[in-house]
Amino acid sequence: MINTNALARLTADFFMSALMILLMAYQVAGETAHEVLGTAVGVLFLVHAWLNRRWFSSFYKGKFSALRALQNTFIILVLLDTIVIMVTGVMISGTVFAFLDIGFGTAAARTLHLCSSYWGLVLMSCHVGLHWSMVMAMTRGVFGLKPKTGAAVWLLRLAALAFAVWGAWAFGHLQVWDFMTLKMQFAFFDDSPDWLVLFNWASVMALFVFVSYWFGRLAHVLANRAKVSS
Ligand code: HEM
Ligand code: HEM
């Protein structure tokens, strides 16, 4: 029987990731679609938090491993950042929330919206990477797939590495760090075709998923080794 809870989680994960890419590529969607999709992703965040409500209720329960501490830190950062993106988004909205007619702090809100959304993409990608084993386990469970072995594993790892290397280039090209550190405060226009703009953003996401996944695994191995030798 299909695990509907896992399927619901995977579906939400997929759409949140796809929408994050589309929202970062503002020039592709345009203003009205951006606001509608931004509101939709806000609703998905709430659904996602509700599907993971056990995390909130068992926050202090069980053992705190190095990996769990890392995962929890990123969830809290993602949660705080999401609140900033949403509140500032509503403040600067020219269509969906225009009826609120918020006339104060919009210049600061615009700067904060830009900066927190770039942080959001990086933090959310790290959050996904730190839960990547969970994603793979759920995908295998839902679709009845067997774990890959031998050459297929290395081929997939190589493809992920290539995507991440492209992401490192795109990180520079899209001036992500400059936006995160407020060195850039005005919209960046990429004159590449739409599909390439989307691909570039997806690759930045892949870079942080890749790095945080392997960092999480390393932290897990090192913590276990320290436990054995003590
Ligand atoms: C683009 C946005 C996001 C993506 C792609 C994403 C993805 C994921 C994935 C893949 C997992 C593990 C599998 C699952 O439960 O689905 C997860 C777990 C979780 N996420 Fe997110 N997430 C995002 C945003 C958020 C936000 C904004 C919050 C804020 C509350 C959040 C809170 C959590 C929690 C509490 C867990 C459970 C962790 C655990 O049980 O160890 N996520 N997320
Ligand atoms: C996770 C959700 C969101 C992300 C990642 C995000 C991301 C971004 C980014 C990267 C820009 C800069 C675009 C550019 O000019 O290059 C932007 C601009 C903008 N966003 Fe969002 N956004 C989100 C949610 C929202 C929401 C919910 C609203 C309002 C309903 C909103 C309203 C706007 C508006 C009005 C602008 C144009 C600002 C200007 O005039 O320069 N955003 N957003």
PDB file of all heavy atoms in Angstrom, residues 20 23-24 26 31 34-35 38-39 41 45 85-86 89-90 92-94 96-97 110 113-114 117-118 124 187-188, ligand 2:
ATOM      1  N   MET A  20      10.727  27.934  -5.161  1.00  0.00           N
ATOM      2  CA  MET A  20      11.848  28.777  -4.718  1.00  0.00           C
ATOM      3  C   MET A  20      12.694  29.197  -5.915  1.00  0.00           C
ATOM      4  O   MET A  20      13.126  30.341  -6.021  1.00  0.00           O
ATOM      5  CB  MET A  20      12.727  28.023  -3.699  1.00  0.00           C
ATOM      6  CG  MET A  20      12.256  28.086  -2.274  1.00  0.00           C
ATOM      7  SD  MET A  20      11.966  29.746  -1.655  1.00  0.00           S
ATOM      8  CE  MET A  20      13.619  30.384  -1.476  1.00  0.00           C
ATOM      9  N   LEU A  23      10.753  31.776  -7.887  1.00  0.00           N
ATOM     10  CA  LEU A  23      10.663  33.062  -7.189  1.00  0.00           C
ATOM     11  C   LEU A  23      11.985  33.814  -7.232  1.00  0.00           C
ATOM     12  O   LEU A  23      12.013  35.039  -7.328  1.00  0.00           O
ATOM     13  CB  LEU A  23      10.230  32.841  -5.731  1.00  0.00           C
ATOM     14  CG  LEU A  23       8.774  32.417  -5.556  1.00  0.00           C
ATOM     15  CD1 LEU A  23       8.556  31.811  -4.173  1.00  0.00           C
ATOM     16  CD2 LEU A  23       7.848  33.599  -5.770  1.00  0.00           C
ATOM     17  N   MET A  24      13.095  33.072  -7.167  1.00  0.00           N
ATOM     18  CA  MET A  24      14.406  33.728  -7.245  1.00  0.00           C
ATOM     19  C   MET A  24      14.642  34.280  -8.649  1.00  0.00           C
ATOM     20  O   MET A  24      15.263  35.311  -8.819  1.00  0.00           O
ATOM     21  CB  MET A  24      15.528  32.758  -6.850  1.00  0.00           C
ATOM     22  CG  MET A  24      15.525  32.322  -5.395  1.00  0.00           C
ATOM     23  SD  MET A  24      15.367  33.667  -4.215  1.00  0.00           S
ATOM     24  CE  MET A  24      16.904  34.532  -4.425  1.00  0.00           C
ATOM     25  N   TYR A  26      13.052  36.082 -10.555  1.00  0.00           N
ATOM     26  CA  TYR A  26      11.945  37.057 -10.592  1.00  0.00           C
ATOM     27  C   TYR A  26      11.626  37.506 -12.019  1.00  0.00           C
ATOM     28  O   TYR A  26      10.489  37.641 -12.411  1.00  0.00           O
ATOM     29  CB  TYR A  26      12.357  38.257  -9.730  1.00  0.00           C
ATOM     30  CG  TYR A  26      11.327  39.336  -9.595  1.00  0.00           C
ATOM     31  CD1 TYR A  26      10.349  39.271  -8.615  1.00  0.00           C
ATOM     32  CD2 TYR A  26      11.338  40.445 -10.441  1.00  0.00           C
ATOM     33  CE1 TYR A  26       9.412  40.276  -8.457  1.00  0.00           C
ATOM     34  CE2 TYR A  26      10.398  41.462 -10.300  1.00  0.00           C
ATOM     35  CZ  TYR A  26       9.440  41.368  -9.310  1.00  0.00           C
ATOM     36  OH  TYR A  26       8.515  42.365  -9.170  1.00  0.00           O
ATOM     37  N   GLU A  31       6.037  40.410 -12.010  1.00  0.00           N
ATOM     38  CA  GLU A  31       5.604  40.824 -10.672  1.00  0.00           C
ATOM     39  C   GLU A  31       4.333  40.138 -10.146  1.00  0.00           C
ATOM     40  O   GLU A  31       4.340  39.593  -9.042  1.00  0.00           O
ATOM     41  CB  GLU A  31       5.435  42.354 -10.609  1.00  0.00           C
ATOM     42  CG  GLU A  31       5.058  42.767  -9.194  1.00  0.00           C
ATOM     43  CD  GLU A  31       5.036  44.263  -8.957  1.00  0.00           C
ATOM     44  OE1 GLU A  31       5.656  45.012  -9.727  1.00  0.00           O
ATOM     45  OE2 GLU A  31       4.390  44.669  -7.974  1.00  0.00           O
ATOM     46  N   HIS A  34       4.822  36.533  -9.467  1.00  0.00           N
ATOM     47  CA  HIS A  34       5.738  36.395  -8.333  1.00  0.00           C
ATOM     48  C   HIS A  34       4.971  36.497  -7.012  1.00  0.00           C
ATOM     49  O   HIS A  34       5.164  35.703  -6.098  1.00  0.00           O
ATOM     50  CB  HIS A  34       6.828  37.471  -8.403  1.00  0.00           C
ATOM     51  CG  HIS A  34       7.762  37.444  -7.231  1.00  0.00           C
ATOM     52  ND1 HIS A  34       8.894  36.663  -7.194  1.00  0.00           N
ATOM     53  CD2 HIS A  34       7.723  38.086  -6.030  1.00  0.00           C
ATOM     54  CE1 HIS A  34       9.511  36.837  -6.042  1.00  0.00           C
ATOM     55  NE2 HIS A  34       8.826  37.696  -5.310  1.00  0.00           N
ATOM     56  N   GLU A  35       4.084  37.479  -6.945  1.00  0.00           N
ATOM     57  CA  GLU A  35       3.336  37.676  -5.696  1.00  0.00           C
ATOM     58  C   GLU A  35       2.384  36.505  -5.429  1.00  0.00           C
ATOM     59  O   GLU A  35       2.257  36.052  -4.292  1.00  0.00           O
ATOM     60  CB  GLU A  35       2.564  38.995  -5.753  1.00  0.00           C
ATOM     61  CG  GLU A  35       3.491  40.193  -5.689  1.00  0.00           C
ATOM     62  CD  GLU A  35       2.757  41.494  -5.416  1.00  0.00           C
ATOM     63  OE1 GLU A  35       1.596  41.443  -4.963  1.00  0.00           O
ATOM     64  OE2 GLU A  35       3.354  42.558  -5.660  1.00  0.00           O
ATOM     65  N   GLY A  38       4.538  33.522  -4.586  1.00  0.00           N
ATOM     66  CA  GLY A  38       5.156  33.760  -3.270  1.00  0.00           C
ATOM     67  C   GLY A  38       4.164  33.461  -2.160  1.00  0.00           C
ATOM     68  O   GLY A  38       4.504  32.851  -1.151  1.00  0.00           O
ATOM     69  N   THR A  39       2.908  33.859  -2.373  1.00  0.00           N
ATOM     70  CA  THR A  39       1.865  33.577  -1.377  1.00  0.00           C
ATOM     71  C   THR A  39       1.615  32.067  -1.315  1.00  0.00           C
ATOM     72  O   THR A  39       1.478  31.490  -0.237  1.00  0.00           O
ATOM     73  CB  THR A  39       0.560  34.328  -1.756  1.00  0.00           C
ATOM     74  OG1 THR A  39       0.895  35.698  -1.995  1.00  0.00           O
ATOM     75  CG2 THR A  39      -0.469  34.238  -0.653  1.00  0.00           C
ATOM     76  N   VAL A  41       3.722  29.652  -1.973  1.00  0.00           N
ATOM     77  CA  VAL A  41       4.812  28.942  -1.293  1.00  0.00           C
ATOM     78  C   VAL A  41       4.716  29.165   0.225  1.00  0.00           C
ATOM     79  O   VAL A  41       5.031  28.278   1.018  1.00  0.00           O
ATOM     80  CB  VAL A  41       6.203  29.315  -1.877  1.00  0.00           C
ATOM     81  CG1 VAL A  41       6.846  30.484  -1.213  1.00  0.00           C
ATOM     82  CG2 VAL A  41       7.153  28.139  -1.803  1.00  0.00           C
ATOM     83  N   PHE A  45       4.721  26.264   2.940  1.00  0.00           N
ATOM     84  CA  PHE A  45       5.599  26.205   4.116  1.00  0.00           C
ATOM     85  C   PHE A  45       4.790  25.791   5.346  1.00  0.00           C
ATOM     86  O   PHE A  45       5.238  24.987   6.160  1.00  0.00           O
ATOM     87  CB  PHE A  45       6.263  27.571   4.386  1.00  0.00           C
ATOM     88  CG  PHE A  45       7.324  27.965   3.388  1.00  0.00           C
ATOM     89  CD1 PHE A  45       7.620  29.304   3.158  1.00  0.00           C
ATOM     90  CD2 PHE A  45       8.043  27.006   2.682  1.00  0.00           C
ATOM     91  CE1 PHE A  45       8.602  29.684   2.247  1.00  0.00           C
ATOM     92  CE2 PHE A  45       9.024  27.370   1.754  1.00  0.00           C
ATOM     93  CZ  PHE A  45       9.296  28.712   1.538  1.00  0.00           C
ATOM     94  N   ILE A  85      10.984  36.994   4.971  1.00  0.00           N
ATOM     95  CA  ILE A  85      10.628  37.061   3.529  1.00  0.00           C
ATOM     96  C   ILE A  85       9.135  37.356   3.370  1.00  0.00           C
ATOM     97  O   ILE A  85       8.732  38.211   2.578  1.00  0.00           O
ATOM     98  CB  ILE A  85      10.939  35.738   2.783  1.00  0.00           C
ATOM     99  CG1 ILE A  85      12.415  35.360   2.885  1.00  0.00           C
ATOM    100  CG2 ILE A  85      10.511  35.825   1.321  1.00  0.00           C
ATOM    101  CD1 ILE A  85      12.759  34.054   2.174  1.00  0.00           C
ATOM    102  N   MET A  86       8.319  36.631   4.138  1.00  0.00           N
ATOM    103  CA  MET A  86       6.866  36.762   3.977  1.00  0.00           C
ATOM    104  C   MET A  86       6.355  38.132   4.435  1.00  0.00           C
ATOM    105  O   MET A  86       5.587  38.779   3.720  1.00  0.00           O
ATOM    106  CB  MET A  86       6.142  35.643   4.761  1.00  0.00           C
ATOM    107  CG  MET A  86       6.298  34.304   4.124  1.00  0.00           C
ATOM    108  SD  MET A  86       5.588  34.338   2.454  1.00  0.00           S
ATOM    109  CE  MET A  86       6.575  33.087   1.689  1.00  0.00           C
ATOM    110  N   GLY A  89       7.545  40.710   2.025  1.00  0.00           N
ATOM    111  CA  GLY A  89       6.841  40.500   0.749  1.00  0.00           C
ATOM    112  C   GLY A  89       5.459  41.156   0.794  1.00  0.00           C
ATOM    113  O   GLY A  89       5.058  41.865  -0.129  1.00  0.00           O
ATOM    114  N   VAL A  90       4.740  40.907   1.897  1.00  0.00           N
ATOM    115  CA  VAL A  90       3.403  41.481   2.057  1.00  0.00           C
ATOM    116  C   VAL A  90       3.504  43.017   2.099  1.00  0.00           C
ATOM    117  O   VAL A  90       2.694  43.724   1.486  1.00  0.00           O
ATOM    118  CB  VAL A  90       2.729  40.926   3.343  1.00  0.00           C
ATOM    119  CG1 VAL A  90       1.456  41.697   3.665  1.00  0.00           C
ATOM    120  CG2 VAL A  90       2.429  39.437   3.187  1.00  0.00           C
ATOM    121  N   ILE A  92       5.659  45.009   0.657  1.00  0.00           N
ATOM    122  CA  ILE A  92       5.968  45.675  -0.618  1.00  0.00           C
ATOM    123  C   ILE A  92       5.019  45.253  -1.748  1.00  0.00           C
ATOM    124  O   ILE A  92       5.156  45.705  -2.878  1.00  0.00           O
ATOM    125  CB  ILE A  92       7.442  45.434  -1.057  1.00  0.00           C
ATOM    126  CG1 ILE A  92       7.729  43.940  -1.253  1.00  0.00           C
ATOM    127  CG2 ILE A  92       8.405  46.060  -0.085  1.00  0.00           C
ATOM    128  CD1 ILE A  92       9.124  43.661  -1.819  1.00  0.00           C
ATOM    129  N   SER A  93       4.079  44.363  -1.402  1.00  0.00           N
ATOM    130  CA  SER A  93       3.163  43.856  -2.424  1.00  0.00           C
ATOM    131  C   SER A  93       2.416  44.979  -3.152  1.00  0.00           C
ATOM    132  O   SER A  93       1.886  45.898  -2.527  1.00  0.00           O
ATOM    133  CB  SER A  93       2.165  42.905  -1.751  1.00  0.00           C
ATOM    134  OG  SER A  93       1.074  42.692  -2.597  1.00  0.00           O
ATOM    135  N   GLY A  94       2.405  44.881  -4.487  1.00  0.00           N
ATOM    136  CA  GLY A  94       1.703  45.898  -5.279  1.00  0.00           C
ATOM    137  C   GLY A  94       0.401  45.358  -5.833  1.00  0.00           C
ATOM    138  O   GLY A  94      -0.373  46.092  -6.443  1.00  0.00           O
ATOM    139  N   VAL A  96      -1.324  41.497  -4.786  1.00  0.00           N
ATOM    140  CA  VAL A  96      -2.077  40.573  -3.916  1.00  0.00           C
ATOM    141  C   VAL A  96      -2.454  41.203  -2.570  1.00  0.00           C
ATOM    142  O   VAL A  96      -3.585  41.077  -2.115  1.00  0.00           O
ATOM    143  CB  VAL A  96      -1.267  39.263  -3.703  1.00  0.00           C
ATOM    144  CG1 VAL A  96      -1.990  38.314  -2.764  1.00  0.00           C
ATOM    145  CG2 VAL A  96      -1.027  38.568  -5.043  1.00  0.00           C
ATOM    146  N   PHE A  97      -1.497  41.880  -1.928  1.00  0.00           N
ATOM    147  CA  PHE A  97      -1.787  42.479  -0.614  1.00  0.00           C
ATOM    148  C   PHE A  97      -1.850  44.006  -0.677  1.00  0.00           C
ATOM    149  O   PHE A  97      -1.727  44.678   0.350  1.00  0.00           O
ATOM    150  CB  PHE A  97      -0.739  42.029   0.413  1.00  0.00           C
ATOM    151  CG  PHE A  97      -0.762  40.544   0.657  1.00  0.00           C
ATOM    152  CD1 PHE A  97       0.161  39.704   0.051  1.00  0.00           C
ATOM    153  CD2 PHE A  97      -1.746  39.986   1.473  1.00  0.00           C
ATOM    154  CE1 PHE A  97       0.118  38.331   0.260  1.00  0.00           C
ATOM    155  CE2 PHE A  97      -1.800  38.612   1.683  1.00  0.00           C
ATOM    156  CZ  PHE A  97      -0.869  37.781   1.072  1.00  0.00           C
ATOM    157  N   ARG A 110      11.883  46.441   1.193  1.00  0.00           N
ATOM    158  CA  ARG A 110      12.344  45.990  -0.134  1.00  0.00           C
ATOM    159  C   ARG A 110      13.776  45.465  -0.044  1.00  0.00           C
ATOM    160  O   ARG A 110      14.079  44.389  -0.569  1.00  0.00           O
ATOM    161  CB  ARG A 110      12.244  47.158  -1.120  1.00  0.00           C
ATOM    162  CG  ARG A 110      12.730  46.835  -2.514  1.00  0.00           C
ATOM    163  CD  ARG A 110      12.240  47.832  -3.545  1.00  0.00           C
ATOM    164  NE  ARG A 110      10.827  47.617  -3.847  1.00  0.00           N
ATOM    165  CZ  ARG A 110       9.884  48.518  -3.701  1.00  0.00           C
ATOM    166  NH1 ARG A 110      10.168  49.707  -3.230  1.00  0.00           N
ATOM    167  NH2 ARG A 110       8.631  48.237  -4.004  1.00  0.00           N
ATOM    168  N   HIS A 113      13.719  42.252   1.874  1.00  0.00           N
ATOM    169  CA  HIS A 113      13.093  41.173   1.095  1.00  0.00           C
ATOM    170  C   HIS A 113      14.119  40.550   0.144  1.00  0.00           C
ATOM    171  O   HIS A 113      14.230  39.328   0.040  1.00  0.00           O
ATOM    172  CB  HIS A 113      11.907  41.724   0.303  1.00  0.00           C
ATOM    173  CG  HIS A 113      11.111  40.678  -0.411  1.00  0.00           C
ATOM    174  ND1 HIS A 113      10.285  39.804   0.254  1.00  0.00           N
ATOM    175  CD2 HIS A 113      11.025  40.337  -1.732  1.00  0.00           C
ATOM    176  CE1 HIS A 113       9.719  38.977  -0.615  1.00  0.00           C
ATOM    177  NE2 HIS A 113      10.156  39.284  -1.839  1.00  0.00           N
ATOM    178  N   LEU A 114      14.871  41.415  -0.482  1.00  0.00           N
ATOM    179  CA  LEU A 114      15.892  40.958  -1.437  1.00  0.00           C
ATOM    180  C   LEU A 114      16.959  40.138  -0.697  1.00  0.00           C
ATOM    181  O   LEU A 114      17.262  39.004  -1.068  1.00  0.00           O
ATOM    182  CB  LEU A 114      16.535  42.196  -2.078  1.00  0.00           C
ATOM    183  CG  LEU A 114      16.902  42.100  -3.544  1.00  0.00           C
ATOM    184  CD1 LEU A 114      15.644  41.933  -4.380  1.00  0.00           C
ATOM    185  CD2 LEU A 114      17.651  43.352  -4.011  1.00  0.00           C
ATOM    186  N   SER A 117      15.660  36.807   0.857  1.00  0.00           N
ATOM    187  CA  SER A 117      15.304  35.749  -0.098  1.00  0.00           C
ATOM    188  C   SER A 117      16.565  35.042  -0.604  1.00  0.00           C
ATOM    189  O   SER A 117      16.564  33.824  -0.791  1.00  0.00           O
ATOM    190  CB  SER A 117      14.453  36.281  -1.242  1.00  0.00           C
ATOM    191  OG  SER A 117      15.088  37.352  -1.877  1.00  0.00           O
ATOM    192  N   TYR A 118      17.673  35.789  -0.774  1.00  0.00           N
ATOM    193  CA  TYR A 118      18.927  35.141  -1.175  1.00  0.00           C
ATOM    194  C   TYR A 118      19.425  34.224  -0.041  1.00  0.00           C
ATOM    195  O   TYR A 118      19.851  33.099  -0.287  1.00  0.00           O
ATOM    196  CB  TYR A 118      19.992  36.190  -1.539  1.00  0.00           C
ATOM    197  CG  TYR A 118      19.833  36.701  -2.958  1.00  0.00           C
ATOM    198  CD1 TYR A 118      18.802  37.581  -3.298  1.00  0.00           C
ATOM    199  CD2 TYR A 118      20.693  36.288  -3.971  1.00  0.00           C
ATOM    200  CE1 TYR A 118      18.638  38.041  -4.596  1.00  0.00           C
ATOM    201  CE2 TYR A 118      20.538  36.746  -5.287  1.00  0.00           C
ATOM    202  CZ  TYR A 118      19.508  37.619  -5.588  1.00  0.00           C
ATOM    203  OH  TYR A 118      19.346  38.056  -6.882  1.00  0.00           O
ATOM    204  N   MET A 124      17.584  27.155   2.843  1.00  0.00           N
ATOM    205  CA  MET A 124      16.631  26.083   2.531  1.00  0.00           C
ATOM    206  C   MET A 124      17.330  24.938   1.800  1.00  0.00           C
ATOM    207  O   MET A 124      17.017  23.769   2.003  1.00  0.00           O
ATOM    208  CB  MET A 124      15.463  26.614   1.713  1.00  0.00           C
ATOM    209  CG  MET A 124      14.489  27.412   2.559  1.00  0.00           C
ATOM    210  SD  MET A 124      13.225  28.174   1.574  1.00  0.00           S
ATOM    211  CE  MET A 124      12.747  29.548   2.608  1.00  0.00           C
ATOM    212  N   ALA A 187      17.945  45.137  -8.079  1.00  0.00           N
ATOM    213  CA  ALA A 187      17.654  43.916  -8.812  1.00  0.00           C
ATOM    214  C   ALA A 187      18.754  43.584  -9.825  1.00  0.00           C
ATOM    215  O   ALA A 187      19.332  44.475 -10.435  1.00  0.00           O
ATOM    216  CB  ALA A 187      16.332  44.092  -9.520  1.00  0.00           C
ATOM    217  N   PHE A 188      19.010  42.291  -9.946  1.00  0.00           N
ATOM    218  CA  PHE A 188      20.009  41.823 -10.898  1.00  0.00           C
ATOM    219  C   PHE A 188      19.268  41.303 -12.125  1.00  0.00           C
ATOM    220  O   PHE A 188      18.343  40.507 -11.999  1.00  0.00           O
ATOM    221  CB  PHE A 188      20.823  40.705 -10.244  1.00  0.00           C
ATOM    222  CG  PHE A 188      21.729  39.962 -11.188  1.00  0.00           C
ATOM    223  CD1 PHE A 188      22.980  40.473 -11.496  1.00  0.00           C
ATOM    224  CD2 PHE A 188      21.334  38.761 -11.761  1.00  0.00           C
ATOM    225  CE1 PHE A 188      23.823  39.794 -12.357  1.00  0.00           C
ATOM    226  CE2 PHE A 188      22.171  38.077 -12.619  1.00  0.00           C
ATOM    227  CZ  PHE A 188      23.416  38.589 -12.912  1.00  0.00           C
TER     228      PHE A 188
HETATM  229  C1  HEM B   2       9.771  32.475  -0.458  1.00  0.00           C
HETATM  230  C2  HEM B   2       9.117  33.476  -1.036  1.00  0.00           C
HETATM  231  C3  HEM B   2       9.730  34.589  -1.828  1.00  0.00           C
HETATM  232  C4  HEM B   2      10.967  34.679  -2.432  1.00  0.00           C
HETATM  233  C5  HEM B   2      12.079  33.643  -2.471  1.00  0.00           C
HETATM  234  C6  HEM B   2      11.027  35.982  -3.061  1.00  0.00           C
HETATM  235  C7  HEM B   2      12.118  36.467  -3.770  1.00  0.00           C
HETATM  236  C8  HEM B   2      12.210  37.713  -4.356  1.00  0.00           C
HETATM  237  C9  HEM B   2      13.354  38.223  -5.075  1.00  0.00           C
HETATM  238  C10 HEM B   2      14.665  37.471  -5.303  1.00  0.00           C
HETATM  239  C11 HEM B   2      13.033  39.476  -5.511  1.00  0.00           C
HETATM  240  C12 HEM B   2      13.951  40.424  -6.286  1.00  0.00           C
HETATM  241  C13 HEM B   2      13.635  40.352  -7.718  1.00  0.00           C
HETATM  242  C14 HEM B   2      14.466  41.243  -8.571  1.00  0.00           C
HETATM  243  O1  HEM B   2      14.050  42.371  -8.710  1.00  0.00           O
HETATM  244  O2  HEM B   2      15.488  40.761  -9.053  1.00  0.00           O
HETATM  245  C15 HEM B   2      11.691  39.760  -5.081  1.00  0.00           C
HETATM  246  C16 HEM B   2      11.021  40.935  -5.350  1.00  0.00           C
HETATM  247  C17 HEM B   2       9.711  41.168  -4.989  1.00  0.00           C
HETATM  248  N1  HEM B   2       8.896  40.332  -4.247  1.00  0.00           N
HETATM  249 FE1  HEM B   2       9.377  38.507  -3.537  1.00  0.00          FE
HETATM  250  N2  HEM B   2       9.838  36.643  -2.851  1.00  0.00           N
HETATM  251  C18 HEM B   2       9.021  35.827  -2.107  1.00  0.00           C
HETATM  252  C19 HEM B   2       7.748  36.099  -1.665  1.00  0.00           C
HETATM  253  C20 HEM B   2       7.048  37.236  -1.975  1.00  0.00           C
HETATM  254  C21 HEM B   2       5.692  37.518  -1.554  1.00  0.00           C
HETATM  255  C22 HEM B   2       4.827  36.592  -0.703  1.00  0.00           C
HETATM  256  C23 HEM B   2       5.365  38.742  -2.057  1.00  0.00           C
HETATM  257  C24 HEM B   2       4.084  39.490  -1.932  1.00  0.00           C
HETATM  258  C25 HEM B   2       2.904  38.956  -1.989  1.00  0.00           C
HETATM  259  C26 HEM B   2       6.512  39.242  -2.798  1.00  0.00           C
HETATM  260  C27 HEM B   2       6.577  40.448  -3.446  1.00  0.00           C
HETATM  261  C28 HEM B   2       7.673  40.941  -4.117  1.00  0.00           C
HETATM  262  C29 HEM B   2       7.691  42.237  -4.804  1.00  0.00           C
HETATM  263  C30 HEM B   2       6.541  43.240  -4.902  1.00  0.00           C
HETATM  264  C31 HEM B   2       8.982  42.366  -5.362  1.00  0.00           C
HETATM  265  C32 HEM B   2       9.515  43.539  -6.199  1.00  0.00           C
HETATM  266  C33 HEM B   2      10.384  44.432  -5.348  1.00  0.00           C
HETATM  267  C34 HEM B   2      10.892  45.634  -6.125  1.00  0.00           C
HETATM  268  O3  HEM B   2      10.094  46.469  -6.482  1.00  0.00           O
HETATM  269  O4  HEM B   2      12.093  45.693  -6.362  1.00  0.00           O
HETATM  270  N3  HEM B   2       7.528  38.292  -2.722  1.00  0.00           N
HETATM  271  N4  HEM B   2      11.209  38.676  -4.365  1.00  0.00           N
END
